[in-house]
Amino acid sequence: MYQLTYKGKTYTYPEGATYKDAAADLQKEKEEDILLLSVNGKLQELRKKIQADAAVNPITTADTVGMETYRRSLVLLAMKSIYDVLGHSKVEKATVHFSVSKGLYMEVRGDFDRSTDWIARIEERMRQLVGMDLPIEKEILNTDDAVDLFHRLGMYDKEKLFHFRRVSKVNIYRLNEFQDYYYGYMAPSTGYLKYFRLCPYSDGFVLQMPVAKAPKEVPPFAPQNKVFQVLKEASDWSEKLGIHTVGALNERIVRGDLNEVILVQEALMEKKLGEIAAMIAARPHCKFIMIAGPSSSGKTTFSHRLSVQLTACGLKPHPIAVDNYFVNREDTPRDEDGNLNYECLEALDVEQFNKDMSALLRGECVEIPSFNFVKGKREYKGDYKQLGESDILVIEGIHGLNDALSYSLPAENKFKIYISALTQLSVDEHNRIPTTDGRLIRRIVRDARTRGSSARDTIAMWPSVRKGEEDNIFPYQEQADVVFNSSLIYELAALKIWAEPLLFAVPKNSAEYWEAKRLLKFFDYFLPIDNDDVPANSLLREFIGGGCFGL
């Protein structure tokens, strides 16, 4: 008999019982479905047998890791349903591309009739499988056997991925006869996967799913056409280059010709910067370039490189950081936890910002403030600016796309740019790399280098950063004149050598350990590259250092 303890209460189970049995007993304590158990601080899937006495904690769909498990399991359900409905002989490839709205954009290539209601039939099949409550079983295969399996199944991206795996075993998930690989924990059965919707979009559909803050609600589909087009363009480009998955990237590293990939990627980014600068130069009334994007998008380097291109177009760019218009610390609003909230619009002196920008637009000379973060006060140090005919301000700040920040400035005088690291690389055809993971890794590396922060510190504050982005940046991204993708297809191979030692330093007894362990496991897929191959003006230099802009 085994004893599991939760909140001071002990539950007893016979040999052969599973954590799913324990979750059934604990479910009355939770409103949302329990998908995993933390057993003595280690996450366990519910299908696993109880092996020892332990302290447990239920992980539900209201927890981030629980919702990630739910969404990952839904992809398996969708893939099984695609092959059931369309037929294995008709499906050439089914791919999860990237995040759209609150779901995942998926495409299916193959010789099947697209004039029919094929997407509706896939959704219907998914719901049938949910009603059947089929077990999602885990098998452990030798890595060589997994390579052979995915070759037979025609999942060549997975075959290529496991050619570079150093571990000897691979976890394979099975839903009836359908076998697949997924990076991370999975739900115990299809009966848990009740909330989803398929929304036709572009050449495929979006698998719309709940989020942790509302785990039983499928949010309405909200197309993000500008961001989607940039993601689609990046995905198409990586396909043409032949590097759309980690396995393909590793192949190029092994072949020794990744430097060409780096140069092409950097050239493509420079070309985009030149096109944006030309668009701005073609608008004679444009005096304010408003740049916004989520954390670790590379906004600072982007501003420098855009300024170079603007100069080449005959303009005189001048950088202004909106952060210099913070209200004094004693006037800063506080969030619901009582902490200073620098993310909200009210943390800025919006009135003074508009007064100064309007004066500049009238041709007046204005002294621009500088915020002293040590003293928590705005200071004036003789930084005077006046706009001539060719002068233009490059304004970077979290609220740059929100017209409430620049309410007094006419629309014709503003050019809005949304920048984000929209990752185009996937682990394989069914396992995408979340954009937030790429940005978190960038920030871990940069914070350690420039601020002396530990990976634990950065991971701990990441949820509040993400909340600020959800509230203040993402709602305005479609209002941008241009969306710029700052992701580099090779960057995770370059960041690996910096990030791994920092992640290994996260203590096992800390709340941040799970996330650090997940990221370390993720880096196991990548071969590292020599950072000397990264150009001095690369946006990646903002994070790893050694760049020509002194960042």
Side-chain angles (χ1 to χ4, degrees):
M1 303 294 287
Y2 298 115
Q3 293 186 331
L4 301 183
T5 305
Y6 173 62
K7 286 187 174 180
K9 186 175 180 180
T10 299
Y11 301 81
T12 303
Y13 300 95
E15 186 175 356
T18 66
Y19 291 118
K20 186 176 180 180
D21 297 321
D25 290 333
L26 300 176
Q27 187 63 63
K28 60 181 177 292
E29 302 274 350
K30 295 290 183 178
E31 184 176 338
E32 296 82 14
D33 289 340
I34 298 172
L35 287 187
L36 304 167
L37 283 186
S38 169
V39 180
N40 287 338
K42 183 178 180 180
L43 289 177
Q44 299 286 0
E45 293 178 321
L46 298 187
R47 67 181 59 79
K48 190 171 182 180
K49 291 182 179 180
I50 300 172
Q51 298 177 334
D53 296 345
V56 298
N57 189 47
I59 305 298
T60 76
T61 50
D63 300 304
T64 298
V65 68
M67 181 51 69
E68 288 171 351
T69 300
Y70 182 91
R71 291 164 68 94
R72 188 181 303 115
S73 304
L74 263 179
V75 174
L76 170 62
L77 179 66
M79 288 298 169
K80 159 73 171 164
S81 301
I82 286 169
Y83 284 95
D84 282 357
V85 169
L86 302 179
H88 284 258
S89 63
K90 298 287 188 180
V91 176
E92 176 188 339
K93 188 175 185 180
T95 305
V96 177
H97 282 290
F98 34 73
S99 178
V100 174
S101 185
K102 296 298 182 184
L104 296 173
Y105 175 67
M106 303 173 68
E107 286 183 348
V108 183
R109 296 180 187 172
D111 181 23
F112 60 91
D113 185 2
R114 293 179 181 270
S115 65
T116 63
D117 57 347
W118 64 280
I119 296 174
R121 288 190 291 122
I122 292 170
E123 180 173 347
E124 181 182 3
R125 179 56 176 162
M126 291 175 69
R127 298 198 185 282
Q128 288 175 351
L129 294 173
V130 171
M132 295 164 68
D133 194 22
L134 298 174
I136 299 174
E137 300 172 304
K138 181 160 72 173
E139 305 172 66
I140 301 177
L141 298 183
N142 291 323
T143 301
D144 290 342
D145 292 337
V147 169
D148 292 340
L149 170 66
F150 290 119
H151 180 80
R152 293 197 308 273
L153 295 176
M155 297 181 184
Y156 303 118
D157 291 340
K158 296 180 191 291
E159 176 190 6
K160 191 176 295 185
L161 177 72
F162 290 120
H163 273 302
F164 299 97
R165 287 284 279 174
R166 287 175 291 187
V167 295
S168 59
K169 303 290 184 181
V170 175
N171 294 328
I172 305 297
Y173 289 94
R174 178 191 288 273
L175 186 49
N176 273 2
E177 84 297 341
F178 185 75
Q179 294 171 285
D180 207 348
Y181 171 76
Y182 288 90
Y183 156 59
Y185 302 102
M186 299 289 277
S189 68
T190 58
Y192 287 76
L193 309 176
K194 299 181 287 289
Y195 311 105
F196 64 88
R197 187 184 307 116
L198 299 194
C199 305
Y201 189 58
S202 188
D203 297 324
F205 60 85
V206 172
L207 173 56
Q208 190 78 346
M209 299 177 278
V211 294
K213 63 182 179 182
K216 294 184 179 181
E217 298 176 13
V218 182
F221 178 54
Q224 301 162 315
N225 295 327
K226 290 181 180 179
V227 174
F228 175 80
Q229 289 305 319
V230 171
L231 282 164
K232 191 78 163 60
E233 181 183 86
S235 180
D236 292 345
W237 179 86
S238 61
E239 287 269 2
K240 290 175 184 176
L241 194 63
I243 307 179
H244 55 284
T245 65
V246 176
L249 176 64
N250 287 339
E251 270 193 341
R252 297 297 290 267
I253 294 172
V254 170
R255 278 162 44 184
D257 63 353
L258 190 68
N259 191 51
E260 179 185 356
V261 175
I262 292 174
L263 292 175
V264 171
Q265 171 89 94
E266 295 288 351
L268 182 67
M269 187 170 284
E270 197 65 37
K271 180 173 178 287
K272 293 290 183 186
L273 283 158
E275 291 170 354
I276 293 171
M279 291 172 63
I280 295 168
R283 299 187 183 187
H285 298 293
C286 180
K287 286 295 181 182
F288 305 98
I289 303 172
M290 315 294 290
I291 302 172
S295 175
S296 303
S297 293
K299 295 183 289 293
T300 305
T301 299
F302 172 82
S303 299
H304 281 294
R305 289 179 64 173
L306 180 61
S307 294
V308 171
Q309 291 288 345
L310 290 168
T311 303
C313 290
L315 299 174
K316 296 179 181 177
H318 304 277
I320 288 184
V322 176
D323 286 1
N324 286 326
Y325 283 88
F326 273 133
V327 298
N328 292 336
R329 190 163 293 155
E330 62 266 24
D331 300 320
T332 302
R334 294 184 180 272
D335 61 20
E336 58 270 19
D337 298 321
N339 300 316
L340 292 173
N341 186 358
Y342 294 104
E343 308 291 321
C344 65
L345 186 62
E346 292 73 21
L348 298 170
D349 190 339
V350 175
E351 184 177 352
Q352 186 63 48
F353 176 81
N354 279 271
K355 180 180 178 181
D356 289 352
M357 296 304 110
S358 295
L360 285 167
L361 188 59
R362 294 192 297 268
E364 299 175 15
C365 184
V366 175
E367 185 178 10
I368 303 298
S370 172
F371 193 81
N372 187 321
F373 285 90
V374 176
K375 297 180 180 179
K377 293 185 179 296
R378 208 182 321 151
E379 299 175 341
Y380 288 86
K381 299 182 177 181
D383 181 13
Y384 290 93
K385 293 191 184 301
Q386 188 170 15
L387 297 183
E389 184 177 348
S390 60
D391 291 296
I392 191 167
L393 297 182
V394 182
I395 301 172
E396 178 214 320
I398 186 173
H399 300 283
L401 304 183
N402 184 353
D403 284 327
L405 171 67
S406 54
Y407 65 86
S408 67
L409 303 179
E412 66 176 3
N413 298 126
K414 295 185 285 189
F415 189 93
K416 299 178 182 179
I417 302 173
Y418 174 70
I419 174 175
S420 187
L422 303 169
T423 308
Q424 65 264 48
L425 195 70
S426 296
V427 174
D428 59 44
E429 63 265 62
H430 301 162
N431 290 272
R432 61 179 290 272
I433 298 174
T435 293
T436 52
D437 278 2
R439 292 192 293 107
L440 173 57
I441 290 165
R442 282 181 171 187
R443 180 147 183 170
I444 287 171
V445 172
R446 185 187 63 191
D447 284 1
R449 182 178 64 85
T450 63
R451 302 177 183 178
S453 300
S454 67
R456 180 184 180 181
D457 293 336
T458 303
I459 292 170
M461 53 90 70
W462 191 241
S464 65
V465 171
R466 294 279 293 116
K467 183 179 184 304
E469 295 167 352
E470 292 283 350
D471 293 342
N472 301 304
I473 298 178
F474 297 146
Y476 305 100
Q477 59 189 9
E478 287 293 309
Q479 297 180 18
D481 294 288
V482 166
V483 175
F484 183 84
N485 185 4
S486 68
S487 176
L488 295 157
I489 203 164
Y490 66 87
E491 68 176 77
L492 289 167
L495 289 166
K496 175 184 172 82
I497 61 174
W498 298 90
E500 282 187 329
L502 300 170
L503 292 167
F504 274 118
V506 176
K508 285 189 175 182
N509 61 352
S510 68
E512 295 73 33
Y513 176 71
W514 288 351
E515 182 70 348
K517 184 178 179 181
R518 183 184 71 84
L519 293 173
L520 281 168
K521 183 180 177 183
F522 168 67
F523 271 119
D524 281 345
Y525 294 116
F526 290 86
L527 296 178
I529 64 171
D530 190 341
N531 284 195
D532 289 343
D533 292 333
V534 180
N537 71 335
S538 174
L539 189 141
L540 189 58
R541 288 290 177 185
E542 181 172 330
F543 305 95
I544 64 175
C548 61
F549 297 115
L551 301 175

